[in-house]
Amino acid sequence: MSLKLRDLIRQVRACKTAAEERAVIAKESAMIRTAIREEQEHYRHRNVAKLLFMHMLGYPTHFGQLECMKLVASPHFPEKRIGYLGMMLLLSEQQEVLMLATNSLKNDLNSSNKFIAGLALAAIGNLATPDMSRDLAPEVDKHLSNSNPYLRKKACLAMARCLRKCPDMVEDFVERVVGLLNDRSHGVLITVVQLMTQVLVIDREYILEEGGGQYDGDEEAYYESPTRTAFLKLVPSLVKLLRNLLSMGYSPDHDVGGISDPFLQVQILTLLRLLGANDVKASEEMNDVLAQVATNTETSKNAG
């Protein structure tokens, strides 16, 4: 029988030379291959965990990719969690075996357990291919309006990946993204601002490189695109949000080095930079708050 993960780690740490370490890994890899060949389901999650450890050490682990798919399809959460972790680390979007996970991802996105749905959203955000993005975008979209902020924030990051892989879908999801900017959850808010920034970048690249269907592929077409036009209406809301952050007193949850929520501030400033380009009205609306940011910035503080 193969070793437990902790025993394998202990043996590897006890090795005094690289040759000893390679011998330990080779022996354990052979045991794992045998377990895979004999379909030893009871030890499948343990074997994948050991493969993750070997992967971290730089040893080949490609033979365990299908085991990750089998764990993802398991009804038990502990096994599913190891399966998703293995899938995100041992596979890349170039591998065809990833398509086998599409059905499991769709089922998990509809799970009543928020942690299972969260695992599926995290996997989509890391690994989704263009085909998977097109198939799973409607399921991800449902979670953008989920009552649970834990799932809403994960759905925002997953949607950013889907739209990056299928830029022609951007216009279909603009209204949903716009509505999320009023979310009360801090985690959702910061991911929505990231998603809006990604959408603008994706939209610009799509129009300039592909011509974007009805557009002729020039810079002016991007500045007049429906996506950018919809986001420009949100500049007053973004300015108000940034001003609130600047005038907010000490907030223990999001304060870093005396600066109120610097991560959200940076994300909003990045988005405002994209929206203010080549737009006089938007630039004028954000002028005062940008001057306030520049005045309040303390160069002596890292977070500033």
Side-chain angles (χ1 to χ4, degrees):
M1 191 181 73
S2 59
L3 297 169
K4 290 183 178 178
L5 175 61
R6 68 169 71 91
D7 294 332
L8 175 62
I9 294 171
R10 198 174 288 124
Q11 282 193 16
V12 168
R13 286 180 175 172
C15 293
K16 292 183 169 59
T17 64
E20 278 183 48
E21 183 183 292
R22 284 196 297 272
V24 169
I25 296 295
K27 182 181 176 184
E28 192 56 35
S29 293
M31 297 289 282
I32 292 172
R33 285 174 191 270
T34 302
I36 291 172
R37 197 162 50 247
E38 294 175 359
E39 290 284 335
Q40 295 179 11
E41 293 182 22
H42 186 65
Y43 298 113
R44 185 173 283 150
H45 64 288
R46 180 199 288 180
N47 289 336
V48 171
K50 287 186 290 189
L51 287 173
L52 291 175
F53 176 63
M54 293 178 192
H55 176 75
M56 289 165 60
L57 296 175
Y59 292 96
T61 53
H62 57 278
F63 57 88
Q65 291 172 353
L66 271 175
E67 295 299 282
C68 297
M69 299 293 106
K70 291 173 184 175
L71 284 177
V72 165
S74 166
H76 308 295
F77 178 71
E79 292 184 355
K80 199 177 278 289
R81 183 173 57 180
I82 290 288
Y84 272 113
L85 184 58
M87 190 169 81
M88 286 187 274
L89 287 175
L90 303 184
L91 278 80
S92 68
E93 61 176 286
Q94 285 79 29
Q95 282 155 329
E96 292 180 8
V97 71
L98 194 59
M99 290 305 295
L100 298 173
T102 305
N103 199 46
S104 294
L105 284 165
K106 190 171 284 191
N107 291 337
D108 288 344
L109 285 171
N110 293 315
S111 170
S112 57
N113 185 328
K114 69 174 183 179
F115 297 111
I116 289 177
L119 285 173
L121 288 168
I124 292 168
N126 280 283
L127 284 174
T129 62
D131 289 338
M132 287 172 69
S133 299
R134 208 172 291 281
D135 291 342
L136 298 172
E139 309 298 327
V140 176
D141 182 40
K142 290 176 188 174
H143 286 295
L144 288 175
S145 53
N146 195 293
S147 59
N148 192 318
Y150 171 81
L151 291 175
R152 286 202 304 275
K153 69 179 180 182
K154 284 183 175 290
C156 285
L157 298 176
M159 185 57 77
R161 171 81 179 199
C162 291
L163 297 181
R164 192 157 59 247
K165 292 297 171 184
C166 299
D168 55 305
M169 298 195 303
V170 164
E171 288 183 22
D172 300 334
F173 296 100
V174 168
E175 285 185 23
R176 179 83 73 208
V177 173
V178 167
L180 283 167
L181 195 61
N182 299 319
D183 205 290
R184 292 177 178 273
S185 166
H186 175 269
V188 176
L189 193 57
I190 196 166
T191 51
V192 167
V193 175
Q194 284 179 308
L195 176 57
M196 289 174 69
T197 305
Q198 286 277 348
V199 165
L200 283 174
V201 172
I202 292 163
D203 194 43
R204 182 176 186 276
E205 289 174 355
Y206 179 59
I207 290 172
L208 295 183
E209 292 174 17
E210 305 288 334
Q214 73 240 45
Y215 307 113
D216 56 3
D218 64 8
E219 194 81 24
E220 287 303 315
Y222 160 66
Y223 291 122
E224 294 168 8
S225 75
T227 303
R228 184 179 160 83
T229 304
F231 285 1
L232 280 170
K233 294 175 185 174
L234 299 174
V235 169
S237 300
L238 289 165
V239 168
K240 182 182 176 183
L241 182 59
L242 186 55
R243 187 172 282 119
N244 288 343
L245 286 173
L246 293 170
S247 59
M248 191 189 296
Y250 175 70
S251 170
D253 290 339
H254 310 123
D255 187 275
V256 180
I259 305 294
S260 177
D261 207 344
F263 297 105
L264 181 55
Q265 283 195 47
V266 168
Q267 293 293 344
I268 294 172
L269 288 168
T270 304
L271 180 56
L272 288 175
R273 175 179 66 81
L274 294 172
L275 291 171
N278 216 41
D279 192 290
V280 176
K281 185 185 175 187
S283 299
E284 286 177 355
E285 286 175 336
M286 63 181 80
N287 262 345
D288 290 345
V289 76
L290 292 179
Q292 195 177 342
V293 171
T295 306
N296 290 357
T297 300
E298 296 180 40
T299 52
S300 60
K301 287 185 179 178
N302 256 354

